[in-house]
């Protein structure tokens, strides 16, 4: 495709934005398909999420042997994971190994932030601009920008007046932070806070946690990964990967308990606690798989939620603190957290929980944080305040599609995609794990591999037919958006203020962004491809 059609020479066939799990595998597949590609990465190295999120205790809460590429058997057999749940440094080492093993680095340009991309209709090409003013022309752009990469730093009054250092968990300094002897504030109680709080508490002189919404967390039961256990799983790795690809969440094949078997109402009241306790003992995100309808029926959800609430009351000694830590919303509605000693940390005399659910943080002052009329003196503030999820990284790039329309404008009422991979009016642009795809409700690596392979096959199809242009049809997008809404409406997900709904970002449209269910989504994508990429317009008059 390079330099074709008298359209002026292209720099590459494909510009890929981002060098995390998605961008690295995309590059590998493009090369194997004989396409040229340049990966532009804002960070100083590869790794994406695992390059940026270096806060203390950062680790994945999908098991290492599942949260890893399955596309190359030698890779998955050779790489040895050391823990059941890998730490950030170990996952970053893994991704660096992948970059070296497949000789990817020569096509990756780090420290390069993409700020804009404009589609030229006449030539059916994209012109991609970087912050430093570089320009790349390409037939296609693949946004491998990540679902949780645009940090959310809330605009709290006085934020810039604080005298001491401040950190966001998703932008952590590479040299680490020494909290010893310091009075530390952590704002937020999502996954990043739940992982970091126990470790910060151990180091700091005093820790104050500012909680807007209490969180459900299930123990990780992390442990070293025994060599024989790892070998046993690797011996049946193909089956494990295949089972995950047929599952709702893209992981779970390693669970000894398997997928849920019964709706809550089908289980005798006396047996429910037994099932819940088994899931609790196993630990991790699979907890909500205790009943088939945990995330669909309020009564079933309440049984699971009440079990966790009782655990919190059992762990936290001060009943008033336990009360504040006890969530009231639906369990799993906000992303479930997985912890190692989170609730226990609030039994420490040097840790204080401040409830800001009614009035938020009033102000950040030079000496600390004011909430509920009280000044909390601290030396360091950690913002564990999450991300502008799913659309944030895309909307920070000025994509200009057909007629110069920007993506921000096209998505003013919320993201609208076809299959979560394509947008009407933005030809030749592909999203990996975009809004409208299962993405964040799944093991991200399963979803990424699926999208990368689907996009590669699509590009090969276009090349085979001599086509230079592909675009999602507006009717297909409308149908897909309606479908995602219908599926989400069958669940309890829309019932709380989660980042899945954009509710954590002031002014963001309230739209449920991911599609629940990896299976049957993957089969639907395969069906679209099998029917000549139904719902896509391929080619155009005068420029196939
Ligand atoms: P999350 O899960 O979005 O958590 C952010 C936390 O910060 C959450 O407790 C928020 O409370 C809180 N928050 C956000 N804005 C504010 C303001 N303005 N004031 C006070 N508190 C605030 O982000 P994480 O980084 O922990 O995890 C992101 C994902 O990474 C996670 O879900 C996994 O998929 C991995 P809220 O609940 O909105 O009331």
């Amino acid at each position: 495709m390079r330099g074709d059609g008298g359209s002026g020479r292209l720099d590459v066939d494909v510009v890929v934005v981002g060098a995390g799990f998605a961008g690295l595998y995309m590059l590998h597949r493009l090369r194997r398909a004989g396409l040229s590609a340049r990966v532009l990465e804002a960070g100083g190295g590869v790794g994406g999420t695992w390059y940026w999120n270096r806060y203390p205790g950062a680790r994945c809460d999908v098991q290492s042997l599942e949260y890893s590429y399955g596309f190359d058997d030698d890779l998955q057999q050779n790489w040895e994971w050391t823990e059941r749940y890998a730490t950030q440094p170990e996952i970053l080492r893994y991704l660096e190994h992948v970059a070296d093993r497949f000789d990817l680095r020569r096509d990756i340009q780090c420290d390069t932030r993409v700020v804009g991309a404009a589609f030229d209709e006449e030539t059916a090409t994209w012109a991609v601009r970087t912050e430093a003013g570089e320009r790349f022309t390409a037939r296609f752009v693949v946004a491998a920008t990540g679902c949780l990469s645009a940090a959310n730093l809330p605009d709290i009054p006085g934020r810039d007046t604080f005298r001491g250092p401040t950190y966001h968990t998703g932008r952590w300094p590479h040299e680490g932070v020494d909290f010893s002897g310091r009075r530390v504030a952590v704002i937020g109680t999502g996954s990043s806070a739940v992982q970091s709080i126990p470790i910060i508490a151990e180091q700091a002189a005093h820790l104050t946690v500012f909680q807007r919404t209490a969180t459900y967390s299930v123990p990780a039961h992390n442990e070293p990964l025994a060599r024989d256990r790892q070998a046993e799983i690797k011996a049946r790795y193909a089956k494990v990967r295949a089972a995950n690809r047929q599952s709702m969440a893209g992981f779970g094949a390693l669970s000894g308990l398997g997928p849920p078997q019964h709706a809550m109402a089908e289980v005798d009241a006396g047996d429910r606690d037994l099932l819940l306790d088994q899931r609790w003992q196993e630990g991790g995100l699979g907890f909500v798989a205790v009943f088939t309808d945990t995330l669909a029926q309020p009564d079933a959800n309440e049984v699971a939620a009440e079990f966790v609430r009782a655990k919190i009351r059992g762990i936290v000694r001060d009943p008033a603190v336990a009360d504040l830590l006890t969530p009231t919303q639906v369990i799993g509605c906000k992303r479930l957290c997985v912890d190692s000693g989170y609730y226990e940390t609030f039994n420490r005399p040097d840790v204080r929980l401040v409830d800001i659910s009614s009035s938020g943080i009033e102000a950040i002052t030079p000496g600390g944080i004011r909430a509920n009329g009280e000044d909390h003196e601290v030396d360091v503030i950690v913002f564990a305040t999450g991300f502008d999820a799913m659309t944030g990284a895309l909307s920070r790039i000025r994509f200009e599609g057909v007629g110069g329309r920007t993506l921000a404008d096209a998505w003013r009422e919320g993201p609208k995609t076809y299959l979560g991979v394509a947008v009407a009016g933005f030809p030749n642009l592909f999203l990996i794990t975009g809004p409208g795809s299962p993405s964040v409700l799944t093991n991200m690596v399963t979803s990424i591999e699926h999208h990368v392979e689907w996009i590669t096959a699509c590009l090969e199809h276009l090349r085979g037919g001599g086509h230079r242009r592909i675009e999602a049809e507006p009717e297909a997008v409308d149908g897909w958006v309606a479908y995602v809404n219908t599926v989400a409406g069958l669940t309890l997900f829309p019932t709380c203020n989660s980042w899945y709904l954009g509710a954590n970002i002031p002014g963001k449209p309230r739209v449920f962004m991911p599609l629940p269910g990896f299976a049957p989504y993957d089969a639907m994508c395969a069906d679209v491809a099998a029917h000549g990429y139904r719902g896509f317009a391929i080619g155009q008059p005068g420029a196939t």
Side-chain angles (χ1 to χ4, degrees):
M1 283 185 226
R2 194 166 184 173
D4 61 349
S7 57
R9 190 163 176 78
L10 295 175
D11 292 314
V12 281
D13 294 320
V14 187
V15 163
V16 178
V17 188
F21 263 99
L24 293 178
Y25 184 38
M26 191 74 241
L27 173 59
H28 178 60
R29 290 303 295 246
L30 289 170
R31 278 208 198 137
R32 269 180 39 187
L35 294 165
S36 63
R38 190 95 191 128
V39 179
L40 305 177
E41 164 58 56
V46 302
T49 290
W50 305 103
Y51 174 86
W52 296 105
N53 283 267
R54 297 171 188 244
Y55 59 84
R59 66 172 75 237
C60 186
D61 43 23
V62 172
Q63 293 189 43
S64 323
L65 285 158
E66 294 179 293
Y67 189 82
S68 48
Y69 293 118
F71 70 83
D72 185 278
D73 195 45
D74 285 344
L75 169 65
Q76 69 181 6
Q77 294 297 336
N78 293 352
W79 182 265
E80 290 285 310
W81 293 103
T82 64
E83 292 179 75
R84 185 180 188 206
Y85 295 99
T87 59
Q88 173 271 331
E90 188 167 24
I91 301 172
L92 186 58
R93 272 200 303 281
Y94 169 76
L95 288 172
E96 286 172 342
H97 168 78
V98 169
D100 292 331
R101 185 180 184 110
F102 297 100
D103 187 25
L104 299 177
R105 291 186 197 267
R106 64 188 155 87
D107 286 324
I108 301 172
Q109 188 171 320
C110 292
D111 296 311
T112 304
R113 182 173 292 281
V114 171
V115 292
F119 185 70
D120 182 85
E121 281 177 77
E122 213 159 292
T123 57
T125 57
W126 282 96
V128 178
R129 299 187 312 279
T130 73
E131 201 168 36
E134 274 184 288
R135 201 166 172 279
F136 297 85
T137 53
R139 175 72 62 216
F140 301 99
V141 171
V142 178
T145 39
C147 295
L148 295 160
S149 51
N152 169 40
L153 197 59
D155 200 8
I156 298 170
R159 195 185 71 198
D160 299 331
T161 66
F162 184 63
R163 193 179 309 122
T166 62
Y167 306 98
H168 187 283
T169 48
R171 292 284 176 274
W172 205 257
H174 288 202
E175 62 279 14
V177 179
D178 182 6
F179 291 107
S180 36
R182 323 297 302 278
R183 295 165 303 173
V184 181
V186 171
I187 304 176
T189 51
S191 295
S192 304
V194 161
Q195 289 186 337
S196 56
I197 280 170
I199 296 172
I200 296 175
E202 269 174 28
Q203 272 185 24
H206 188 271
L207 172 64
T208 312
V209 176
F210 293 84
Q211 172 186 276
R212 190 163 72 178
T213 313
T215 196
Y216 291 100
S217 188
V218 172
H221 298 312
N222 187 39
E223 59 189 4
L225 201 46
R227 275 185 176 273
D228 52 349
R229 161 88 176 141
Q230 186 153 193
E232 180 272 312
I233 292 163
K234 285 181 174 177
R236 56 184 172 94
Y237 228 155
K239 281 191 183 140
V240 168
R241 301 290 193 191
N244 281 342
R245 280 209 167 200
Q246 281 155 25
S247 70
M248 282 285 287
F251 70 99
L254 299 184
S255 164
L257 300 170
Q261 301 297 327
H262 302 287
M264 183 276 287
E266 294 165 2
V267 182
D268 289 341
D271 290 338
R272 288 175 196 154
D273 267 5
L274 190 70
L275 292 183
L276 285 157
D277 203 53
Q278 282 176 341
R279 296 275 170 184
W280 182 267
Q281 294 310 330
E282 184 169 69
L285 297 170
F287 180 79
V288 288
V290 61
F291 308 122
T292 51
D293 53 354
T294 317
L295 293 172
Q297 289 299 333
D299 291 352
N301 193 280
E302 182 59 19
V303 170
E306 195 44 41
F307 179 88
V308 179
R309 293 183 197 127
K311 288 286 182 194
I312 298 169
R313 288 191 291 268
I315 296 169
V316 181
R317 287 196 286 272
D318 181 333
V321 177
D323 211 36
L324 287 181
L325 286 169
T326 301
T328 51
Q329 74 273 13
V330 157
I331 187 170
C333 182
K334 283 172 185 266
R335 168 68 149 67
L336 187 63
C337 296
V338 178
D339 73 283
S340 299
Y342 174 66
Y343 297 119
E344 289 82 348
T345 301
F346 294 92
N347 289 331
R348 296 176 65 113
D350 50 4
V351 173
R352 177 167 174 201
L353 181 67
V354 176
D355 170 34
I356 53 164
S357 58
S358 48
S359 47
I361 290 173
E362 280 162 51
I364 294 179
T365 63
I369 293 180
R370 187 176 307 137
N372 310 321
E374 187 183 344
D375 279 309
H376 301 266
E377 296 272 314
V378 294
D379 306 309
V380 183
I381 300 177
V382 174
F383 288 89
T385 44
F387 301 89
D388 183 354
M390 305 206 70
T391 56
L394 292 166
S395 62
R396 288 175 194 194
I397 297 171
R398 187 179 167 86
F399 282 104
E400 293 169 76
V402 172
R405 189 177 193 198
T406 63
L407 189 64
D409 187 42
W411 284 5
R412 199 163 294 284
E413 293 158 9
K416 292 180 177 147
T417 70
Y418 182 40
L419 306 177
V421 294
V423 187
F426 295 81
N428 295 5
L429 170 66
F430 294 94
L431 315 177
I432 299 182
T433 62
S437 74
S439 58
V440 291
L441 297 176
T442 69
N443 173 359
M444 286 303 297
V445 187
T446 311
S447 284
I448 284 168
E449 288 195 315
H450 169 249
H451 268 181
V452 166
E453 288 157 18
W454 191 93
I455 291 167
T456 308
C458 179
L459 293 176
E460 288 175 322
H461 173 83
L462 295 176
R463 183 177 51 191
H467 304 298
R468 298 191 297 155
R469 191 182 196 273
I470 182 167
E471 181 181 353
E473 289 169 343
E475 305 73 38
V477 170
D478 290 346
W480 189 254
V481 170
Y483 173 72
V484 174
N485 277 325
T486 303
V487 176
L490 298 172
T491 72
L492 300 173
F493 281 121
T495 64
C496 71
N497 290 326
S498 68
W499 56 254
Y500 299 136
L501 273 166
N504 62 329
I505 304 295
K508 193 166 172 174
R510 196 180 170 93
V511 173
F512 192 77
M513 294 183 284
L515 168 71
F518 181 75
Y521 165 79
D522 61 330
M524 296 171 86
C525 292
D527 194 56
V528 165
H531 288 85
Y533 293 89
R534 190 181 49 218
F536 286 94
I538 292 182
Q540 65 179 355
T544 53

